[in-house]
Amino acid sequence: MADDLGDDWWEDRPVGAASSPEASGDEGGGDTEMKRQKTAPVPTPSKKTKQPKECFLIQPKETKEESTKTRKWRKKITDILAKSEPKPGTPEDLQKLIKDYYSSNRSVIELEELNLPDSCFLKANDLTHSLSSYLKEICPKWVKLRKNHTEKKSVLMLILCSSAVRALELIRSMTAFKGDSKVMKLFAKHIKVQEQVKLLEKRAVHLGVGTPGRIKELVKQGGLNLNPLKFLVFDWNWRDQKLKRMMDIPEIRKEVFELLEMGVLSLCKSESLKLGLF
């Protein structure tokens, strides 16, 4: 009988309506047991266990005090540079930079080989010159040199500086020196390498003014031959808005030394190339 009760029984019979086992006999007892199983109260579900949340490590923000200290430190360095008396660059400064740059990956013997002879250095700017007056002093026979220069894909003089904007300033300031010389801008801003290669192939250029990165790329691609080069001038003493010189900027310094290794050092040692610090 218990098997024939079905779901209808569960839905129709009111809770607690069954008779006692004594009144119903064995069969009634069986029905009562079944009813107890059916009418057993459903346990209240426990509260849902909270799932652990993801944790993220948050970097502590720089406090106002630390930020203020950093700004003060930078301002202090800038003020010191602004108030200090500028010192002109010397050949010894360049020699020291070369040694410092290569000291970590060159042997003592190799470092000695990087020493440049004093004879390859021209008189450095003592900070009293304009660019034109300085170039006239280090190259008094410029007019004759440029008239005899007819080789394409080369220049007689290179002036290295830190940016395209500075290169344009230098070109404008050398009017008194350049005369009829063919001057070429050798920087990356708005000018593609291949365009510069074509211009160098088309005609003889006497003066090149630009950044070491672009000049290095032109040499690498075969667009510029350094062998006819007679003068390499560094825009050494000029400082930008942050009072940094070109050799104070790590990226520029790296490109300068890479350019020097592309034949400049060997030309200096053979004394066919002179170095100037403007």
Side-chain angles (χ1 to χ4, degrees):
M1 288 179 63
D3 294 338
D4 296 331
L5 292 175
D7 291 335
D8 293 337
W9 183 86
W10 172 254
E11 293 173 358
D12 296 337
R13 289 291 297 273
V15 177
S19 59
S20 65
E22 290 79 10
S24 302
D26 291 337
E27 290 184 356
D31 291 342
T32 302
E33 184 65 28
M34 178 61 73
K35 189 176 76 171
R36 285 176 180 171
Q37 292 177 3
K38 291 281 188 175
T39 60
V42 180
T44 305
S46 60
K47 292 183 180 180
K48 189 177 179 180
T49 307
K50 291 184 179 181
Q51 296 295 324
K53 295 182 179 180
E54 288 186 87
C55 294
F56 297 93
L57 294 175
I58 300 174
Q59 293 286 346
K61 292 183 179 180
E62 186 180 29
T63 63
K64 289 184 179 180
E65 186 179 354
E66 290 173 342
S67 179
T68 304
K69 283 182 179 179
T70 304
R71 285 197 299 270
K72 284 183 178 179
W73 178 81
R74 288 175 181 169
K75 187 177 180 182
K76 186 177 179 182
I77 296 299
T78 304
D79 290 343
I80 291 172
L81 288 171
K83 293 177 183 178
S84 61
E85 187 177 346
K87 294 181 180 180
T90 63
E92 290 75 19
D93 293 336
L94 179 57
Q95 296 272 38
K96 185 178 183 303
L97 277 179
I98 292 174
K99 284 186 178 180
D100 291 344
Y101 182 79
Y102 291 109
S103 60
S104 61
N105 54 17
R106 299 291 175 94
S107 66
V108 176
I109 296 174
E110 288 173 327
L111 287 174
E112 289 178 358
E113 291 175 352
L114 292 172
N115 285 333
L116 296 172
D118 293 337
S119 57
C120 80
F121 287 97
L122 297 162
K123 183 179 178 180
N125 178 23
D126 58 2
L127 304 183
T128 63
H129 284 284
S130 66
L131 181 57
S132 284
S133 66
Y134 177 68
L135 296 179
K136 284 180 180 179
E137 181 173 300
I138 65 173
C139 185
K141 298 181 180 179
W142 174 252
V143 175
K144 183 178 179 181
L145 277 173
R146 68 174 175 81
K147 284 182 178 179
N148 294 332
H149 179 69
T150 57
E151 190 171 345
K152 298 177 182 179
K153 297 173 66 175
S154 66
V155 294
L156 283 173
M157 181 183 290
L158 273 178
I159 300 177
L160 297 182
C161 58
S162 58
S163 67
V165 174
R166 178 58 179 164
L168 294 174
E169 290 177 359
L170 291 172
I171 291 171
R172 287 193 292 267
S173 67
M174 65 167 68
T175 304
F177 171 77
K178 67 180 182 180
D180 296 331
S181 303
K182 297 293 186 295
V183 182
M184 189 166 174
K185 306 166 188 173
L186 301 176
F187 48 75
K189 193 173 184 179
H190 307 310
I191 309 173
K192 295 181 179 179
V193 178
Q194 293 306 319
E195 292 177 6
Q196 291 172 331
V197 170
K198 288 178 182 178
L199 288 172
L200 287 165
E201 290 174 343
K202 190 179 294 185
R203 63 180 184 181
V205 178
H206 306 111
L207 265 163
V209 185
T211 55
R214 176 47 62 93
I215 293 170
K216 184 185 68 172
E217 189 62 29
L218 288 167
V219 175
K220 187 178 178 181
Q221 294 196 19
L224 182 63
N225 178 18
L226 294 178
N227 289 327
L229 186 65
K230 299 300 179 187
F231 302 94
L232 178 62
V233 179
F234 295 85
D235 184 29
W236 191 275
N237 298 296
W238 181 81
R239 294 179 184 272
D240 61 15
Q241 291 181 345
K242 296 180 180 179
L243 300 179
K244 289 184 178 181
R245 298 171 301 178
M246 64 175 289
M247 297 302 279
D248 295 330
I249 304 170
E251 297 83 5
I252 300 295
R253 185 168 61 245
K254 179 176 179 291
E255 289 174 342
V256 166
F257 289 128
E258 288 176 352
L259 177 61
L260 293 182
E261 285 194 283
M262 298 177 79
V264 173
L265 292 175
S266 58
L267 289 172
C268 289
K269 289 180 180 180
S270 66
E271 298 191 5
S272 65
L273 175 62
K274 303 294 183 182
L275 301 179
L277 305 180
F278 171 63

